[in-house]
């Protein structure tokens, strides 16, 4: 079977196409800020509290470390690929160079699902948090209005439109705006951490790993159970060591987004050096922030008090110690956090579609870049328009878990791809190498598959439907139109002709 593997040299050569190339303007610090911008969102104020209350207690601190290690393994694989093949497309491009066109299309299709869904969901939440932030300061704010019986979230439409315009204007300009918002939200997080430490009591850390307790029997609805629970009949773990591991699976999704940084590889100066440095610097800072927040939160109040709340969050911990003012500050932090996440997600979405289009798997006219800013303006405007309308007019919250399964499937293939490329092209220069290969890349793939099995059966069904649609599109359009396929067909025609040609006169 012909896998249609695209060579690394061909991928790099495509990045020099004047009509379809991106401007290299980003440095190490830009990449680190991009990683922080996409990973530190509203979740930093809530996901740890939910994990502590329902699964791990104070040991959620360890859960964050375990999640960071799992993410770090996958990110190491991304860093090796990005420093070897520094072009747009991230996991799609890496898979094309190792496992062939069909798997590359599937992972590109998955990434479109992940990033499109994430952009729409987070834009919708941005409108909600904007209303909550203004309400916390005594300013009632209608974040929706009725249009012919349809509830419209106009802030969701507005935020996507603004960042779409910024991204069309240039990646460097967008990075500067993102840096401002990122600094603001990190400052708010640090402020909350410092203030919270004054209310920490050592007694709240005991027991550090609460004793396991029987659950209510687990979910009875087949669609809301995790695939693992459905397949094995196992009840969900609560507290104890297994509860701590379950919490790690939950909080892992706080780190999802670092793969988006790799989509900007073609826009980085000296990518072999700067990409790995920027990615790891960002991951280190994000891990530190999450661990500090979890220490403060579980130290301020007992996990049992958080468990008694319907929707526990960091603001809940402050309220329980009599500091109601913190909710307003935390609302601002959540709003700033979501702002930068939306921006980076929109950037990543356009770069994935750009790479697919440049390779001919989607219409080639999409991938033309503007003459001055070297941005894929056509893709950015189309993607931004669709995201804005979906976020404003639909209930996208139903598809939240699709973000996770799309990301994890990409993590798995990239981890395996590192092993494949080491064997097939050991000669390639690598700015970063994953240590202890193939052990660590395989471990990364196994851990990510395990996390995928912790997602609901309904998510898996939706995912499989999306994959079937993608395969149909590939067979009807992409396989016939891809540039690599056209080159292979031309070579197949020319080779027999050359073999059967008459020898030159006088030979």
């Amino acid at each position: 079977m012909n896998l249609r593997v695209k060579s690394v040299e061909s991928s790099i050569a495509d990045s020099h196409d004047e009509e379809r190339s991106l401007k290299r303007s980003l440095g190490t610090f830009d990449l680190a800020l991009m990683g922080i911008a996409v990973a530190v969102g509203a979740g930093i104020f809530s996901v740890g509290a939910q994990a502590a209350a329902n699964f791990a207690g104070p040991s959620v601190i360890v859960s964050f470390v375990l999640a960071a290690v799992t993410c770090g393994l996958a990110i190491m694989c991304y860093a090796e690929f990005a420093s070897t093949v520094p072009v747009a497309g991230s996991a799609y491009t890496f898979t094309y160079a190792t496992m062939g066109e069909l798997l590359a299309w599937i992972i590109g299709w998955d990434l479109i699902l992940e990033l499109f869904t994430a952009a729409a969901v987070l834009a919708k939440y941005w409108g909600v948090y904007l209303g909550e932030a203004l309400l916390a300061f005594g300013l009632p704010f209608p974040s929706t209005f009725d249009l012919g019986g349809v509830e419209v979230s106009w802030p969701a439409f507005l935020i996507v439109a603004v960042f779409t315009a910024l991204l069309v204007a240039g990646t460097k300009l967008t990075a500067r705006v993102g840096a401002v918002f990122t600094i603001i939200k990190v400052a708010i997080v640090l402020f909350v951490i410092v203030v919270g430490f004054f209310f920490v009591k050592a007694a709240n850390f005991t027991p550090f790993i609460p004793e396991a307790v029987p659950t209510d029997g687990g979910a009875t609805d087949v669609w809301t159970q995790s695939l693992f629970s459905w397949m094995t009949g196992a009840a969900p773990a609560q507290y104890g060591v297994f509860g701590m591991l379950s919490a790690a699976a939950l909080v892992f999704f706080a780190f999802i987004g670092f793969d988006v940084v790799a989509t900007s590889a073609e826009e980085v100066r000296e990518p072999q050096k700067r990409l790995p440095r920027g990615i790891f610097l960002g991951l280190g800072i994000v891990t530190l922030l999450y661990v500090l927040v979890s220490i403060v939160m579980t130290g301020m109040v007992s996990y049992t008090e958080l468990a008694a709340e319907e929707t526990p969050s960091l603001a809940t911990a402050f309220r329980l110690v009599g500091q109601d003012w913190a909710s307003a500050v935390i609302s601002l932090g959540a709003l700033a956090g979501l702002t930068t996440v939306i921006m980076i997600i929109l950037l990543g979405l356009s770069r994935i579609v750009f790479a697919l289009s440049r390779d001919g798997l989607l219409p080639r006219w999409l991938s033309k870049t503007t003459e001055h800013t070297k941005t894929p303006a056509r893709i950015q405007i189309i993607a931004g328009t669709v995201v804005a309308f979906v976020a404003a007019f639909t209930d996208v919250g139903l598809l939240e878990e699709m973000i996770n399964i799309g990301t994890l499937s990409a993590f798995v293939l990239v981890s395996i791809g590192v092993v494949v490329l080491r064997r097939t092209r050991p000669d390639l220069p690598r700015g970063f190498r994953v240590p202890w290969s193939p052990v660590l890349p395989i471990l990364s793939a196994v851990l990510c598959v395990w996390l995928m099995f912790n997602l609901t059966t309904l998510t898996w069904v939706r995912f499989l439907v999306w994959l079937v649609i993608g395969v149909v599109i590939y067979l009807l359009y992409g396989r016939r139109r891809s540039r690599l396929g056209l080159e292979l067909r031309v070579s197949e025609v020319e080779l027999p002709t050359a073999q059967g040609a008459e020898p030159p006169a006088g030979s």
Side-chain angles (χ1 to χ4, degrees):
M1 180 181 176
N2 184 3
L3 294 179
R4 289 191 177 186
V5 176
K6 185 178 181 180
S7 71
V8 172
E9 289 80 4
S10 179
S11 296
I12 294 174
D14 284 345
S15 67
H16 299 301
D17 182 341
E18 282 300 317
E19 289 189 338
R20 293 176 172 84
S21 61
L22 302 172
K23 184 179 180 180
R24 295 195 180 275
S25 59
L26 302 177
T28 301
F29 191 59
D30 294 315
L31 293 169
L33 283 175
M34 192 180 293
I36 298 167
V38 76
V40 179
I44 195 169
F45 302 109
S46 60
V47 70
Q50 294 166 11
N54 301 319
F55 294 97
S59 66
V60 71
I61 299 166
V62 178
S63 300
F64 270 111
V65 174
L66 292 174
V69 170
T70 304
C71 182
L73 290 174
I75 291 304
M76 279 197 290
C77 299
Y78 270 88
E80 175 166 333
F81 260 123
S83 67
T84 309
V85 194
V87 299
S90 185
Y92 156 75
T93 301
F94 308 153
T95 305
Y96 211 159
T98 53
M99 286 174 275
E101 186 175 271
L102 176 58
L103 278 178
W105 163 260
I106 288 173
I107 209 63
W109 187 243
D110 288 351
L111 289 171
I112 290 174
L113 169 69
E114 171 207 344
L115 297 172
F116 176 81
T117 307
V121 169
L122 295 175
K124 177 78 84 174
Y125 282 153
W126 189 87
V128 174
Y129 276 101
L130 177 62
E132 289 184 0
L134 292 175
L135 187 61
F137 287 95
L139 300 171
F141 172 77
S143 58
T144 61
F145 65 88
D146 186 81
L147 183 64
V150 177
E151 188 177 72
V152 180
S153 173
W154 68 266
F157 188 96
L158 176 65
I159 191 66
V160 173
V162 168
F163 277 122
T164 296
L166 274 174
L167 287 163
V168 170
T171 305
K172 186 65 177 179
L173 173 62
T174 310
R176 287 173 179 168
V177 173
V180 172
F181 278 101
T182 301
I183 291 170
I184 291 172
K185 72 177 176 182
V186 170
I188 291 173
V189 171
L190 291 175
F191 172 75
V192 170
I193 290 171
V194 171
V195 173
F197 263 114
F198 287 100
F199 299 93
V200 169
K201 295 179 181 178
N204 289 325
F205 293 115
T206 305
F208 188 71
I209 301 179
E211 185 177 351
V213 298
T215 63
D216 296 329
T220 55
D221 181 0
V222 64
W223 300 117
T224 58
Q225 291 184 72
S226 72
L227 185 63
F228 177 79
S229 296
W230 177 72
M231 292 172 63
T232 63
Q238 186 173 25
Y239 306 132
V241 173
F242 286 103
M244 181 179 70
L245 295 175
S246 296
L250 173 64
V251 303
F252 174 81
F253 303 123
F255 295 92
I256 282 180
F258 274 95
D259 58 316
V260 178
V261 179
T263 66
S264 64
E266 197 171 317
E267 296 162 271
V268 180
R269 303 188 308 272
E270 298 180 286
Q272 286 79 9
K273 294 180 180 179
R274 296 177 187 269
L275 259 169
R277 291 174 185 172
I279 289 174
F280 289 125
L281 177 59
L283 179 61
I285 293 172
V286 167
T287 302
L288 179 62
L289 290 175
Y290 271 107
V291 168
L292 287 175
V293 167
S294 61
I295 290 173
V296 166
M297 177 192 57
T298 53
M300 289 175 67
V301 296
S302 169
Y303 73 93
T304 56
E305 293 182 81
L306 291 173
E309 298 286 330
E310 185 177 351
T311 54
S313 67
L314 185 60
T316 304
F318 275 93
R319 178 173 55 79
L320 290 173
V321 296
Q323 303 299 312
D324 293 329
W325 59 267
S327 61
V329 176
I330 290 172
S331 294
L332 279 179
L335 186 64
L338 280 180
T339 301
T340 56
V341 177
I342 294 167
M343 179 192 73
I344 303 302
I345 293 294
L346 287 171
L347 171 70
L349 175 60
S350 68
R351 285 358 180 220
I352 291 296
V353 178
F354 170 78
L356 288 164
S357 170
R358 188 164 63 182
D359 287 332
L361 294 172
L362 290 175
R364 285 265 291 169
W365 60 268
L366 285 170
S367 58
K368 283 194 174 183
T369 53
T370 57
E371 184 176 349
H372 300 294
T373 61
K374 288 295 181 182
T375 58
R378 294 176 179 179
I379 295 172
Q380 199 73 68
I381 292 170
I382 293 171
T385 301
V386 176
V387 169
F389 275 96
V390 169
F393 289 92
T394 65
D395 182 11
V396 291
L398 299 173
L399 300 177
E400 285 182 48
E401 280 203 356
M402 301 305 291
I403 303 169
N404 303 330
I405 200 166
T407 302
L408 287 167
S409 61
F411 278 16
V412 171
L413 285 182
V414 169
S415 300
I416 295 171
V418 165
V419 179
V420 174
L421 196 63
R422 287 278 190 98
R423 291 183 179 275
T424 57
R425 294 299 305 273
D427 57 304
L428 289 174
R430 291 166 168 84
F432 172 81
R433 298 175 70 91
V434 179
W436 301 321
S437 181
V439 175
L440 288 188
I442 291 174
L443 178 61
S444 171
V446 169
L447 290 173
C448 290
V449 168
W450 178 75
L451 291 175
M452 290 177 73
F453 274 90
N454 278 274
L455 298 173
T456 66
T457 54
L458 181 58
T459 296
W460 274 91
V461 170
R462 288 170 172 165
F463 181 59
L464 292 175
V465 170
W466 179 259
L467 288 183
V468 169
I469 294 171
V471 170
V472 170
I473 292 174
Y474 172 74
L475 294 175
L476 294 179
Y477 183 89
R479 183 170 176 80
R480 295 186 298 108
R481 298 295 187 93
S482 79
R483 293 180 65 210
L484 181 59
L486 291 172
E487 290 170 5
L488 289 173
R489 287 196 291 274
V490 169
S491 65
E492 287 171 358
V493 170
E494 290 178 346
L495 185 59
T497 303
Q499 289 175 341
E502 292 292 330
S507 62

